[in-house]
Amino acid sequence: MIRLGSNSPTRALLLNKFNIDFIQNGGSFDEDSIITKNPKSFCYEATKGKFEELYKKYGIEDIPLLVADSVVTCNNILLRKAKNLKDARSMLELQSGNKTSVITCMIFKNKNIELIDISSTTYEFKKFNIEDMNKYISSGECMGKAGAIMVEGFCKPYIKKVRGYESTAMGLSVEKLLPYL
Ligand SMILES: Nc1nc2c(ncn2[C@H]2C[C@H](O)[C@@H](COP(=O)(O)OP(=O)(O)OP(=O)(O)O)O2)c(=O)[nH]1
């Protein structure tokens, strides 16, 4: 049993998919407090902030703690979760027919180890079909996802090339975590 220190439904879905028993307690770390715009540093700072908040609140005496953060970088621009549908559209237009990477940082701590993992999955997308993209945006599924992309959904038919785990792109590099559970 582990504590998933996250509000993310996708992270819960991933742990379920890998049959990992967990309870879910999200935090309220303010990612807007992070100064750096470097995608990898931002992702690490956000994960560290989330970990410190929840480690203070729950500790690891009873069960291990897992937190994570994901960001997207395209054309060296840091893309977080879209603020609104207009923001989501511009993120998607940037990534259409382009190369984009999802960076996921995880911190996992139990009584014996502390794992800090930063992984990325890089995609080369074909150009998104406009009608398809409009439908995706108006569905609202683009919200709450780093870079407004959904690799297992909207983006799937447009994947030309991929390097890295799909789980990393969805927000939790579970394959990297398994050896420690
Ligand atoms: N379903 C899906 N979700 C994705 C994908 N890429 C990123 N995400 C989700 C995972 C995270 O919930 C979210 C990235 O935002 P954060 O890392 O800040 O996490 P979030 O605020 O959702 O929850 P947390 O900070 O862990 O409480 O985007 C994807 O391709 N598919």
Side-chain angles (χ1 to χ4, degrees):
M1 175 66 76
I2 66 170
R3 189 186 309 275
L4 173 60
S6 171
N7 302 299
S8 169
T10 306
R11 291 190 172 117
L13 180 135
L14 286 165
L15 291 182
N16 281 322
K17 185 177 156 194
F18 283 82
N19 299 316
I20 296 168
D21 283 339
F22 68 98
I23 55 172
Q24 187 166 8
N25 300 106
S28 53
F29 176 72
D30 175 15
E31 296 185 31
D32 291 330
S33 65
I34 300 171
I35 313 277
T36 181
K37 291 291 172 247
N38 171 283
K40 214 177 246 185
S41 311
F42 183 98
C43 193
Y44 172 68
E45 292 297 326
T47 309
K48 201 158 62 81
K50 294 179 189 180
F51 180 81
E52 283 161 2
E53 177 201 8
L54 294 171
Y55 183 65
K56 214 171 358 191
K57 190 168 178 184
Y58 298 108
I60 52 158
E61 284 321 301
D62 51 350
I63 51 173
L65 176 61
L66 169 67
V67 300
D69 187 72
S70 300
V71 296
V72 166
T73 173
C74 180
N75 292 6
N76 292 318
I77 301 164
L78 167 66
L79 303 177
R80 295 167 53 192
K81 290 178 288 186
K83 292 184 174 42
N84 51 48
L85 293 183
K86 190 165 166 289
D87 196 21
R89 178 178 298 281
S90 54
M91 288 183 180
L92 288 162
E93 284 166 350
L94 176 69
Q95 298 173 89
S96 176
N98 207 344
K99 204 168 169 182
T100 195
S101 294
V102 187
I103 302 168
T104 290
C105 181
M106 283 188 315
I107 299 179
F108 173 75
K109 188 175 175 71
N110 65 21
K111 287 183 189 145
N112 310 310
I113 54 119
E114 178 166 331
L115 166 73
I116 301 179
D117 177 85
I118 300 188
S119 297
S120 71
T121 297
T122 300
Y123 291 93
E124 270 184 53
F125 289 140
K126 291 179 248 177
K127 279 202 88 47
F128 301 148
N129 169 284
I130 299 292
E131 288 73 49
D132 200 11
M133 189 172 81
N134 290 339
K135 223 165 73 204
Y136 173 59
I137 293 168
S138 39
S139 75
E141 275 196 310
C142 54
M143 300 307 285
K145 297 178 179 70
I149 57 172
M150 190 175 180
V151 295
E152 80 285 14
F154 168 71
C155 299
K156 207 154 185 85
Y158 298 102
I159 298 172
K160 232 164 58 179
K161 268 196 206 146
V162 52
R163 198 182 66 243
Y165 291 119
E166 182 178 76
S167 62
T168 299
M170 289 176 68
L172 207 54
S173 308
V174 185
E175 293 85 344
K176 307 289 273 295
L177 181 65
L178 289 175
Y180 301 93
L181 297 181

